[in-house]
């Protein structure tokens, strides 16, 4: 078998087959039994891996279940309606749906590289009162993310200055204006300022709450009109018992899974703040290694106030 | 031939559900990896449901299903321009014939594939996950890893071949046990 056959197979399976490669493929399959064997086994394993990842399941079954009943089909439509719903349930049990596979893709992308998003308020009050009488605003805030544990959230203070909250994955910290740097090893502290975080939103803990998003939300995957390189994943909370935003609308790059826009709607507002926000990707450059610690965000010599984790009850 | 049944049975539904991965793989092979394979699978499923009363229960379901899938692929081809067809007509017949003589046991095959994936080195298993679970193309992966695309494509070729050999061996061992 021609050693170039591997390259041709790659072109076939990645959908980038040139006219020359296509002619070479057909000639090899016509004349070389070894090439025919290799093609059959390569495509078969490729298809089974894609099937295992949910590439076709939902697509095929969603359409079956939604099959239109026309008059000429009435003679079999009665049983078909019942049977196809049953089939749908069976098919869904065989492999994860495309929407679930999309969630996996988005989360995998979160593990790679740094991302920066600007925050804009779509609905509700952008402002939020702080304990010291000053007022924060989410509008114009910036959220930097590294992996699924590290973040830096910068929000303007209306009276002047900024509040910077972050986590390097082991220490959470909070800096208000020129006040002390509060640090804690309790990774649940200082997260209430993040949109949706008051109720353990899935945004920062996307990977950690993977099962929550998959089981607690109805997921719908669709194309983005005019943007063939992007895919939209719409997630709606199944019930009030599920914690987190009521709806999430995630637009991500088809090839890499990188989120380019995220809308969170129905945010908990126990202390005021926005009801819906949009985060828009504005940077993917690699930030300094220590960027998610508090050090680069204040001058040296600032008072560091270590807050021990609150004692837990008996 | 008519099996005399007026209603699709749960057994038929189960057979159809179990055969999905094999029908899908068959369609992808005949279409040369085209993305529309899921649409043709859907058309095939509808055809199988409509024609269920013609299925001879004394014969393997998968053979009957693949025959109908082959017709659906041919119907799809008639709707496409020639430039969109990867395989020539005579080559498609060769591929279909080669695939249809292979014994297919979809559920056992998928289970074997799962076990074989666990035997891959961790780095290769991660690459398979990136490519298939996360949907990253080889080109995008090569760019991200800073590796030549051809080298990565060759690696995937070897991984798929190793998986195929492992699946075949695993199934053979199960049968002889």
């Amino acid at each position: 078998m021609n050693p170039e056959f591997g390259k041709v197979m790659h072109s076939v399976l990645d959908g980038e087959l040139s006219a020359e490669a296509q002619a070479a493929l057909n000639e090899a399959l016509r004349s070389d039994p070894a090439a025919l064997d290799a093609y059959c086994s390569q495509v078969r394993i490729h298809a089974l891996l894609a099937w295992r990842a949910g590439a076709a399941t939902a697509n095929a079954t969603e359409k079956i279940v939604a099959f239109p009943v026309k008059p000429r089909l009435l003679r079999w439509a009665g049983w078909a309606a019942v049977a196809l719903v049953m089939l749908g349930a069976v098919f869904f049990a065989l492999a994860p749906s495309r929407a679930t596979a999309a969630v996996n893709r988005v989360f995998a992308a979160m593990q790679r590289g740094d991302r920066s998003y600007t925050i804009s308020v779509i609905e509700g009050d952008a402002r939020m009162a702080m304990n010291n009488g000053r007022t924060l605003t989410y509008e114009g805030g910036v959220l930097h993310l590294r992996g699924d544990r590290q973040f830096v959230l910068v929000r303007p203070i209306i009276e002047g200055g900024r509040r910077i909250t972050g986590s390097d994955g082991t220490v959470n910290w909070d800096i208000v204006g020129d006040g002390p740097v509060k640090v804690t090893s309790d990774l649940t502290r200082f997260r209430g300022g993040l949109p949706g975080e008051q109720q353990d939103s899935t945004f920062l803990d996307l990977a950690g709450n993977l099962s929550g998003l998959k089981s607690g939300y109805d997921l719908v995957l669709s194309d983005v009109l005019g943007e063939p390189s992007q895919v939209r994943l719409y997630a709606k909370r199944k019930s009030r018992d599920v914690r987190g935003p009521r709806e999430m609308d995630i637009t991500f790059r088809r090839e890499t899974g990188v989120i380019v826009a995220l809308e969170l709607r129905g945010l908990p507002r126990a202390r005021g703040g926005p009801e819906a926000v949009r985060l828009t990707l504005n940077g993917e450059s690699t930030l300094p290694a220590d960027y998610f610690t508090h050090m680069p965000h204040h001058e040296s010599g600032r008072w560091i106030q270590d807050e021990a984790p609150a004692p837990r009850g008996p | 031939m008519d099996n005399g049944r007026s209603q699709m049975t749960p057994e038929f539904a189960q057979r159809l559900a179990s055969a999905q991965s094999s029908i899908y793989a068959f369609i992808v092979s005949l279409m040369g990896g085209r993305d529309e394979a899921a649409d043709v699978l859907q058309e095939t499923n509808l055809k199988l449901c409509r024609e269920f009363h013609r299925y001879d229960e004394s014969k393997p379901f998968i053979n009957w299903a693949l025959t109908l899938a082959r017709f659906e692929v041919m119907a799809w081809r008639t709707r496409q321009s020639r430039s969109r067809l990867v395989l020539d007509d005579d080559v498609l017949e060769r591929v279909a014939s080669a695939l249809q003589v292979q014994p297919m046991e979809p559920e056992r095959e998928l289970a074997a594939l799962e076990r074989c994936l666990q035997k891959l080195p961790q780095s290769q298993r991660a690459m398979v996950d990136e490519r298939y679970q996360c949907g990253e193309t080889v080109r995008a992966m090569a760019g991200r890893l800073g590796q030549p695309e051809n080298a990565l494509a060759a690696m995937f070729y070897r991984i798929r071949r190793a998986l195929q050999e492992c699946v075949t061996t695993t199934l053979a061992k199960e049968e002889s046990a």
Side-chain angles (χ1 to χ4, degrees):
Chain A
M1 188 173 62
N2 188 328
E4 292 294 297
F5 190 72
K7 278 189 202 170
V8 174
M9 281 310 305
H10 158 55
S11 304
V12 171
L13 300 181
D14 264 9
E16 296 167 352
L17 198 62
S18 66
E20 294 76 24
Q22 186 177 343
L25 172 71
N26 278 286
E27 187 48 40
L29 297 182
R30 199 174 275 123
S31 59
D32 184 352
L36 182 63
D37 278 350
Y39 174 88
C40 290
S41 64
Q42 286 279 315
V43 180
R44 182 163 184 78
I45 286 293
H46 167 81
L48 290 178
L49 289 168
W51 178 265
R52 176 178 167 270
T57 316
N59 195 22
T61 53
E62 280 163 7
K63 288 178 182 176
I64 282 180
V65 173
F67 185 69
V69 178
K70 295 176 181 175
R72 66 189 173 84
L73 299 173
L74 279 178
R75 66 180 179 275
W76 63 277
W79 57 259
V82 176
L84 293 177
V85 169
M86 178 179 72
L87 281 175
V90 176
F91 291 166
F92 278 122
L94 285 178
S97 72
R98 293 175 74 203
T100 306
V103 174
N104 293 343
R105 190 182 315 169
V106 168
F107 293 146
M110 285 199 73
Q111 311 304 316
R112 301 191 295 263
D114 296 338
R115 312 269 183 263
S116 299
Y117 295 87
T118 52
I119 301 172
S120 52
V121 174
I122 303 171
E123 206 176 321
D125 194 348
R127 296 167 302 172
M128 208 163 137
M130 292 192 292
N131 293 336
N132 60 10
R134 291 188 285 175
T135 309
L136 272 178
T137 177
Y138 280 97
E139 189 66 44
V142 177
L143 177 65
H144 305 280
L145 295 173
R146 175 176 289 166
D148 60 342
R149 296 284 171 204
Q150 302 183 62
F151 70 90
V152 171
L153 172 66
V154 183
R155 285 163 294 173
I157 297 172
I158 288 177
E159 291 81 6
R162 300 182 301 173
R163 180 171 187 172
I164 310 176
T165 311
S167 176
D168 63 1
T170 57
V171 171
N172 282 13
W173 49 270
D174 187 38
I175 309 169
V176 180
D178 53 7
V181 180
K182 295 179 180 175
V183 300
T184 178
S185 56
D186 179 353
L187 298 183
T188 62
R189 290 275 290 137
F190 311 136
R191 293 168 63 94
L194 290 167
E197 273 297 316
Q198 290 97 325
Q199 291 187 5
D200 289 336
S201 151
T202 45
F203 186 63
L204 268 189
D205 268 345
L206 276 179
N209 288 294
L210 182 63
S211 57
L213 187 59
K214 285 177 180 172
S215 61
Y217 286 77
D218 289 319
L219 303 174
V220 178
L221 196 63
S222 61
D223 291 330
V224 178
L225 282 179
E227 290 285 356
S229 65
Q230 296 180 0
V231 181
R232 180 183 170 208
L233 179 66
Y234 172 73
K236 185 169 185 180
R237 199 174 56 194
K238 287 179 178 171
S239 80
R240 286 177 180 274
D241 298 333
V242 176
R243 306 181 87 184
R246 187 182 64 239
E247 295 170 55
M248 286 188 271
D249 206 338
I250 303 168
T251 304
F252 63 94
R253 292 192 188 122
R254 190 182 299 272
E255 282 215 347
T256 61
V258 171
I259 296 174
V260 294
L262 168 65
E263 287 185 17
L264 304 172
R265 303 190 198 96
L267 297 171
R269 293 194 300 160
R271 295 172 53 205
E275 186 175 354
V277 298
R278 179 180 175 86
L279 293 95
T280 307
L281 183 69
N282 74 355
E284 296 174 81
S285 53
T286 301
L287 297 164
D290 65 349
Y291 190 80
F292 293 85
T293 69
H294 59 82
M295 269 90 82
H297 302 282
H298 58 82
E299 71 280 13
S300 61
R302 181 84 71 96
W303 180 32
I304 310 289
Q305 184 181 333
D306 195 345
E307 297 194 346
R312 296 184 186 280
Chain B
M1 172 168 175
D2 193 315
N3 59 24
R5 293 187 186 278
S6 59
Q7 292 197 350
M8 190 161 65
T9 61
E11 290 77 16
F12 181 92
Q14 183 59 47
R15 281 175 176 147
L16 179 52
S18 299
Q20 288 294 289
S21 60
S22 278
I23 302 173
Y24 176 69
F26 181 74
I27 292 169
V28 172
S29 302
L30 297 192
M31 291 173 67
R34 286 282 181 203
D35 290 341
E36 299 98 316
D39 294 331
V40 177
L41 173 63
Q42 175 216 345
E43 295 297 329
T44 303
N45 285 332
L46 289 172
K47 180 61 73 72
L48 290 165
C49 289
R50 286 175 192 160
E51 302 283 328
F52 89 97
H53 59 279
R54 296 184 191 278
Y55 167 55
D56 180 354
E57 293 179 3
S58 67
K59 294 181 178 170
F61 174 82
I62 190 69
N63 293 359
W64 180 68
L66 295 188
T67 301
L68 265 64
R70 190 168 169 174
F71 287 134
E72 289 307 312
V73 172
M74 299 307 290
W76 174 83
R77 286 169 66 92
T78 61
R79 298 193 295 269
Q80 310 300 313
S81 63
R82 294 298 302 178
S83 62
R84 283 182 50 76
L85 304 179
V86 172
L87 302 181
D88 295 342
D89 291 343
D90 63 313
V91 173
L92 181 139
E93 290 303 319
R94 278 176 178 271
V95 171
S97 300
L99 288 171
Q100 281 189 276
V101 297
Q102 293 177 358
M104 288 190 190
E105 295 176 88
E107 288 179 336
R108 283 184 58 214
E109 191 174 26
L110 276 176
L113 176 61
E114 208 62 54
R115 289 199 292 280
C116 292
L117 280 166
Q118 299 306 316
K119 293 178 184 173
L120 283 179
Q122 202 278 332
S123 60
Q124 292 187 3
R125 202 161 61 237
M127 285 173 65
V128 170
D129 281 345
E130 294 287 335
R131 173 73 177 84
Y132 291 98
Q133 299 283 352
C134 306
E136 190 173 25
T137 63
V138 171
R139 176 168 293 175
M141 201 182 298
R144 178 168 57 79
L145 299 174
Q147 291 187 15
E149 188 179 344
N150 279 345
L152 216 53
M155 171 68 79
F156 272 106
Y157 187 87
R158 288 195 295 273
I159 290 174
R160 283 190 292 261
R161 190 172 59 193
L163 287 173
Q164 178 63 56
E165 288 169 2
C166 174
V167 167
T168 304
T169 307
T170 303
L171 293 178
K173 276 184 186 168
E174 283 178 4
E175 276 171 19
S176 63

